[in-house]
Amino acid sequence: MLRLSITGLTSPLLPTPAPAVRLRPRPLTRLRLRALAAGAASSLSPSARSLRLLEWGKVCDAVASFAGTGHGRDATKKQLWEVEDVSYEQSQRLLQETEAAVWLLDNAGGAIDFSGLDTVAIESAIHCVSGGAVIKGLEAVAVASLMLFVESLQVNIKAAMKLDEGSHSLLTTLTETILDAVINKSLVKSIQDIVDDDGSVKDTASPELRRHRERVQLLESRLYQLMDKLMRNADNEASLSEVCIVNGRCCIRTTGDKSLTFDGLLLSSGSDAGSMMEPIAAVPLNDELQESRALVAKAELDVLSKLSDKILLELDSIQSFLQETIKLDKVTARAKYSIAYDGTFPDLYLPNFENETVTSATGGSAKETSSAHPTKKAWKLYMPNAYHPLLLQKYQENLDRAKRDVASAAAEIRRRRIYGQDIAEDQLPSDLDSMKLRVSQLEKDQPVPVDFMIAEETTVLVITGPNTGGKTISLKTVGLASLMAKIGLYILASEPVKIPWFNAVYADIGDEQSLTQSLSTFSGHLKQIGAIRAESTSESLVLLDEVGAGTNPLEGAALGMSLLESFAEVGSFLTLATTHHGELKTLKYSNNSFENACVEFDEENLKPTFKILWGIPGRSNAINIAERLGLPSDIVESSRRLLGTAGAEINALIMDMERFKQDYQQDLQKAQHLLMQSKELHNNLELAQRNIVDHTSAQRKRKARVISEYAVMARSIIRKKFQQLQESAIAERVKEEEKAVDAKSESVKDPMPTSTTAMGKAQKTDTNLATAADDEEDGIPEVGDSVYVPKLKNQATVVKIDSSKNEVQVQAGMMKLKLKLQDVKVQKRKVSR
């Protein structure tokens, strides 16, 4: 039995490489890691530091994951990270590109798939050909795939554009270069004729290549037959032998002490690895095989070299195809992300120029865009049911993972049942039930959306409420939504969305304690806020978390009030701040630029609802929570006395406001529901009215069509009856003439005696006939004349005369007939002689 193993053995005579000197890394303690991270963060600008605090990088990674190519993912990340440098006009163009890509995905989604393109190989091919090198087989296949993809893309885009004539203006800027591209089909055919899908050169590429490959196959066959013969002749049970390939040459490796029965060249020997021998009889075949393989390689190189020359002629077009494909992949990634998370096309406007808004060119978005706001109030920022993108992404990933686990477990159970395996006592069914329970639980525990409704006159929004209530998440949601709209992404919210364009988003969120600069938490916050205050403009968004925290409450509250008033005056276009200081709630009542909001807290279940109540300052829940948790009543009452009656009255007032707010929200939802019902009924009524009008018109047309059909049938019946009458009249006349002829012939056969009386009667009859002939005239009758119709043997009245056709229309009783002039006789009065 011939055993063949291919190994990359090296000669023992070659020097072995010296072991690399490894430097032991310096251990990084947790303290050192935090110091390095803090040092790196402190060197960032306030805007770049804000992007890090908002976790913008994770959003960029999520969007880039929807790109189909490696270059598309890199280009998407690069573009998203350049959000700080995007102008308002660029943001408009990016949103329009995303909208066009969303439309394309809806109408030609199957064609917008870039995952089959190897852009790395295409780029390598461009570098090779432009540098004068020979292209590789896989690179040539990648180039052909790119050209075929562009051609397919053209066909699908044109087909999609035919579905909607109004889409041309929307798609022009995005697909103009792709649609104008000219594909060199002969080059594609040349690549397909020369290179196989796996990158190997085909035998049919050239006659020389086919001849050399056939020679290689013949030599390999002869060489393997020789090796098999030598192995069989050895017949040495004490040694084990196998055929190996060493540097492309066939050799025999043996293990054992006994000598071999053939002569050969010893390549290597060792007690463990055995001896490597090249038989003398195989040396000429190995040499010839090496030469043939070299000729094969040269023939392949010649073929690929000629192909490289052809590709060089189309290099500019290929580079253009690659750039446009990466661009389209980048835009499509934004569109796919927007669709995947059910985003909405935002109404992006420039601060201080609210009338200049961006509207959807087609009215389309990941959802159907609404053009009107639900209320007539002017909003600075309006985002109903807004989601934090990272929370929504994490939830969707967990839900998808749980569903995949359920599907895998169910498939495993089906497989075991098919093969008759017992699963009654197996743990898998119970695991499947727990997985289904987890899926149902995840579907119930969806992220809670937040409504953002900031009035146009509001400059600073103060959000209060308990910890873990969603204040910080709310800040991040607004910040990320602003960045997403600016860079051309849809907003993860319900319709409609109105959001300003901000030149920068500044954030001070979380613990910014600096270990390298010996700054405390409070000092770190102050340094960041100071830098934000210095850089922010009237077109900036500022997000401040826990203003005035980390120091004495009285001093922190005073400092927080001063900071917010400063931002309200000239610091930013919009500032959102969270705080626990009750004094900051009072700013609204002394400055119209301020507005209050609070996160709702469910006192029954002692947990936050993650909803925001607008226009209501948050109240303290600590004493009420302590009472519900079972703290002794004397301690609770003492706490309330220490708090004072004023604080209790304020809390009671806030409770009333919260209740009124909740009632208002319920009434508003009810009113909106009734409004939607009335709109639906109105639409149904209009539809019914249109249906009635359409039905009436259809019935009228049907009635006219039926009458016309019956009229045609009636005319046909009358025509047939008239023809039958004519035929019967002619038949009767013919019979009468035949009878007259028969009677005349009989009178001729039977001669009668001529008498005077008979001659008198005959003369009288001839006189009457002559008189009747005188009464008839072959002239043209006039309208109203009475004529005699011989075919009918009846008189008729002339109704109409057509001299050009030599026809006359007469009426006989109820019938009107068209006859030739020679078919009627004009009646005249007899003239006395």
Side-chain angles (χ1 to χ4, degrees), residues 36-46 48-49 52 514 516-517 527:
L36 290 175
S42 61
S43 61
L44 298 174
S45 64
R49 196 176 185 184
R52 182 181 62 82
S514 176
T516 58
Q517 299 182 10
K527 183 178 180 182

Side-chain angles (χ1 to χ4, degrees), residues 158-406:
K158 290 178 181 178
M161 292 173 69
K162 289 182 180 179
L163 299 176
D164 185 5
E165 296 296 334
S167 63
H168 289 77
S169 60
L170 178 67
L171 301 177
T172 298
T173 56
L174 182 62
T175 62
E176 182 177 9
T177 306
I178 292 289
L179 294 177
D180 294 340
V182 179
I183 308 300
N184 190 339
K185 296 183 180 180
S186 62
L187 176 59
V188 176
K189 187 176 184 304
S190 299
I191 296 175
Q192 293 175 338
D193 292 341
I194 293 174
V195 186
D196 212 340
D197 291 338
D198 60 356
S200 60
V201 181
K202 294 182 179 180
D203 294 341
T204 57
S206 70
E208 294 81 4
L209 179 60
R210 177 188 289 274
R211 184 173 65 253
H212 294 320
R213 282 184 175 175
E214 290 176 351
R215 181 62 180 169
V216 167
Q217 292 176 359
L218 178 60
L219 291 173
E220 287 178 345
S221 176
R222 291 171 56 185
L223 196 55
Y224 292 156
Q225 290 176 2
L226 175 62
M227 289 297 179
D228 186 45
K229 182 178 179 182
L230 292 175
M231 295 280 290
R232 293 180 184 275
N233 292 337
D235 194 15
N236 189 355
E237 298 180 357
S239 63
L240 298 176
S241 303
E242 64 177 350
V243 177
C244 299
I245 303 297
V246 180
N247 296 328
R249 303 178 72 86
C250 267
C251 303
I252 296 178
R253 182 170 60 186
T254 62
T255 57
D257 298 333
K258 294 185 178 182
S259 60
L260 299 174
T261 59
F262 60 86
D263 297 332
L265 301 177
L266 180 63
L267 300 181
S268 64
S269 62
S271 58
D272 296 332
S275 300
M276 190 69 65
M277 297 285 292
E278 182 179 1
I280 295 297
V283 171
L285 290 176
N286 275 328
D287 292 341
E288 190 174 358
L289 180 61
Q290 293 287 72
E291 292 177 359
S292 297
R293 286 175 177 168
L295 292 174
V296 169
K298 183 178 182 304
E300 291 178 350
L301 187 63
D302 292 341
V303 171
L304 292 176
S305 178
K306 293 179 181 178
L307 184 60
S308 300
D309 294 338
K310 293 181 180 180
I311 294 177
L312 182 61
L313 299 176
E314 296 291 330
L315 192 60
D316 293 339
S317 299
I318 295 172
Q319 287 178 328
S320 176
F321 295 161
L322 180 61
Q323 293 173 358
E324 290 300 319
T325 302
I326 294 174
K327 173 188 173 183
L328 193 57
D329 188 18
K330 178 176 60 177
V331 177
T332 306
R334 300 201 306 264
K336 288 181 178 179
Y337 176 85
S338 301
I339 293 174
Y341 294 103
D342 202 17
T344 297
F345 186 94
D347 178 10
L348 186 67
Y349 69 94
L350 194 63
N352 305 320
F353 297 92
E354 293 84 359
N355 293 329
E356 300 180 8
T357 58
V358 179
T359 57
S360 175
T362 62
S365 63
K367 305 172 190 175
E368 186 179 354
T369 303
S370 173
S371 60
H373 294 303
T375 61
K376 295 182 179 180
K377 187 174 182 179
W379 300 107
K380 177 175 286 187
L381 187 146
Y382 190 90
M383 290 194 307
N385 297 322
Y387 288 95
H388 189 288
L390 297 181
L391 288 182
L392 190 60
Q393 175 189 350
K394 184 178 179 181
Y395 165 77
Q396 193 64 46
E397 290 175 351
N398 292 336
L399 182 60
D400 293 341
R401 189 182 303 111
K403 289 182 177 180
R404 286 195 301 268
D405 293 341
V406 170

